[in-house]
Amino acid sequence: MTSIPVPGLAGALESGLKPEEYALIVQRLNREPNAVELGLFSVMWSEHCSYKSSRRHLRAFPTHGKVVIQGPGENAGVVDIGDGQACVFKMESHNHPSFIEPYQGAATGVGGIMRDVFTMGARPIALLNALRFGDPADPRTRRLVSGVVSGIGGYGNCVGVPTVGGEVNFHRGYNGNILVNAMCVGLAQTDRIFYSAAPGPNLPVVYFGSKTGRDGIHGATMASAEFDAESEAKRPTVQVGDPFAEKLLIEATLELMASGAVAAIQDMGAAGLTSSSVEMAGKGGVGLELNLDRVPQREAGMSAYEMMLSESQERMLAILVPGREADAQAIFTRWGLDAAVIGRTTETGRIVLTHGGEVVCDLPLAPLTEDAPLYDRPHTAPVLRPRLDVADLSPPADWGQTLLTLIASPDLASRRWIYEQYDRHVMADSLEESDTGADAAVVRVHGTTKAVALTCDCTPRYVAADPYQGGMQAVAEAWRNLCAVGATPLAITDNLNFGNPEKPEIMGQIVAAIAGMSQACRALDFPVVSGNVSLYNETDGEAIPPTPVVGGVGLLADAARRAGYGRLKPGQSLVLLGESRGEIGASLYLREILGREDGAPPPVDLEAERAAGVLVRDLIGAGLTACVHDLSDGGLAIAAVEMALASRVGLGLAAPEGVSALGYLFGEDQGRYLLACDDVEAVRARAAAAGVACAMVGEAGGERVRAAGLFDLPLDRLREAHESWLPAYMSGAAA
């Protein structure tokens, strides 16, 4: 290895390592690493790959359950959905790349999360996304929205996997660091799940997919660092995606698996060939020898460093059953993919790389994987805001205008402009159209009467106010959204987006949010089976609002027995389930109408959440309601308007009892559902038996939305306010 330079401490610092980390590497190796070896350490020890700041806290998550087949530690989580079938799912971030190059950043985020799912042997059936953008008045926001949405649609539509749900928020806290979290869900047979651990030595290692180029080099390192004024120069670290190549890769991979030739398999995601090879060998307790001269390359003169750190897209690494190389090659040729046997597993516990006839890397695997740094970073308890009493607020002078302002605000306005750019019905199994109204997407399990329900949720303003309660609420809202369509919640994936963990106040947010999420998952039997941590989401020292996104998956045994909130019928009674106290702190009303971001968030009562969710599923299953909407942003008034608009049926809300009109209409108390029914007494009886508060709050009918003595607005005016903001903003006609 004499021709490979030794960069020393200066090179380590340039690669994103700390001085003490470089000293640890030298200690582990008993020598200084050369440039190629240092490159491997820099990406494998990055926050993005090693989870060195969060791993000890993530252990608090419940990860086992009666339906869990595979929890965290693999490419994606796996749950049993009966009949020998499994649901495979994962959520992951592509935040930094999407800010630098929004189209490709978002597109490759979609491609990468799909590979995590089909690497497990599952055919992708649905995509979701959780997007956070800056202040609409910021000059960059419109361009970022346009690029990200185009990238998601451009990739998913071309591959032929429907994008069925998601969420979008705007806040100035994301001005310098947007969030793009992508979720993919797939279906597999329970006896055909594939894993990444190399099963033994002397097995062939095959590379297949697209050729390796110089795009995305040090992408994992970039994703583990803050932004600054020079971030635009990081554009070369953003990968370039090809959805048509991804489609070929999906089909070839699934065919290869069906052939019985696969012993282990891993996609090349963050850190590319380095992470895939190191993780496969490390998990299997074997060594690895790779000849980089055999790696398919699309650019001339690539170095070993570039090949190992490239994050070129649409690539896979597989360990084959001995003697099946020719069978695998025939499949790759049929699908038009580049492929080569580039090495073999060994008994040495080391990774050895050769290039140009020379050994360019010879490292023990342990320091790259299980012996990577694990930090217990100092953290301070979050400073909590005092509860805000709704009685201390003056009522609005014009209730109707207040409602119109809220329904047209950036966080509540219709997302039609976005979702109509996504193919929501390809594969013909999406059961709820986005514009007919449902709290979770519902996708049929092809060829059966079953369906999976899918959602992703987080309320960052709650987490900022109280990370523990906000973490609980994110899980509880995912639970509610699944229950609201009639699905039994099974498990979650997550994407924990925070600022710099080296700051005690940020680490305090992380620790508290994970604790709150863990508590909710345990109380609701809603285990965590996969996830992603995205830290250092800061620009010039300003962190994003803490945003721990939860992706939830549920099961409907009979897809015909599902609910939505676009099924309101004239003459039906409106019933509110759950306790209303008028919690107004950290609410959208407070922010959008009064310009305030103070107060404690609404508390989460997990016992009450569970009782209400089970009751709602019982009512849907018994046929007592098919129109249900969970109450979240904007409270009862917004839920009622959304139900009326989705159903094209007016409604009237009764006068409040036991709570102020402001708290009644716009309070954001948790654990509540608005439902429509024909038999109020039957609903009341079941609610009483379940110990859930139940009140009749209105009736459906007409073409207006009314609240006794407070407002009376035509549906057309509400629809215009709701539908117009985003198209006007994206056309440049609105701020």
Side-chain angles (χ1 to χ4, degrees), residues 493-580:
T493 183
D494 61 60
N495 207 139
L496 308 181
N497 306 274
F498 291 89
N500 184 346
E502 297 170 47
K503 297 178 179 179
E505 66 275 17
I506 299 297
M507 198 66 218
Q509 292 177 342
I510 297 168
V511 172
I514 289 174
M517 294 171 68
S518 300
Q519 179 69 14
C521 288
R522 285 191 173 84
L524 300 174
D525 291 332
F526 207 21
V528 181
V529 297
S530 61
N532 174 245
V533 175
S534 176
L535 306 182
Y536 294 95
N537 289 289
E538 297 199 3
T539 298
D540 294 328
E542 290 295 319
I544 61 162
T547 312
V549 179
V550 171
V553 171
L555 178 67
L556 287 126
D558 181 359
R561 283 290 175 98
R562 65 185 188 275
Y565 59 79
R567 300 182 177 194
L568 184 65
K569 296 178 182 178
Q572 287 188 314
S573 298
L574 297 175
V575 174
L576 179 62
L577 298 179
E579 198 73 44
S580 296

Side-chain angles (χ1 to χ4, degrees), residues 445-465:
V445 177
H446 196 75
T448 76
T449 60
K450 298 183 297 189
V452 290
L454 315 169
T455 185
C456 51
D457 300 284
C458 182
T459 309
R461 63 183 187 279
Y462 292 172
V463 190

Side-chain angles (χ1 to χ4, degrees), residues 17-87:
L17 292 165
K18 306 288 187 186
E20 59 272 21
E21 291 174 337
Y22 183 71
L24 187 58
I25 292 169
V26 173
Q27 178 185 330
R28 297 267 173 85
L29 300 181
N30 200 29
R31 63 176 174 84
E32 290 194 291
N34 68 29
V36 176
E37 294 168 335
L38 184 61
L40 269 62
F41 274 106
S42 71
V43 292
M44 292 307 298
W45 284 17
S46 69
E47 194 73 56
H48 192 78
C49 292
S50 72
Y51 289 49
K52 57 192 176 187
S53 297
S54 58
R55 222 180 331 151
R56 66 171 65 245
H57 301 288
L58 296 175
R59 293 169 184 161
F61 282 142
T63 58
H64 301 282
K66 61 183 179 181
V67 299
V68 177
I69 295 174
Q70 175 63 52
E74 268 294 340
N75 289 291
V78 186
V79 295
D80 194 327
I81 59 170
D83 308 308
Q85 295 173 309
C87 185

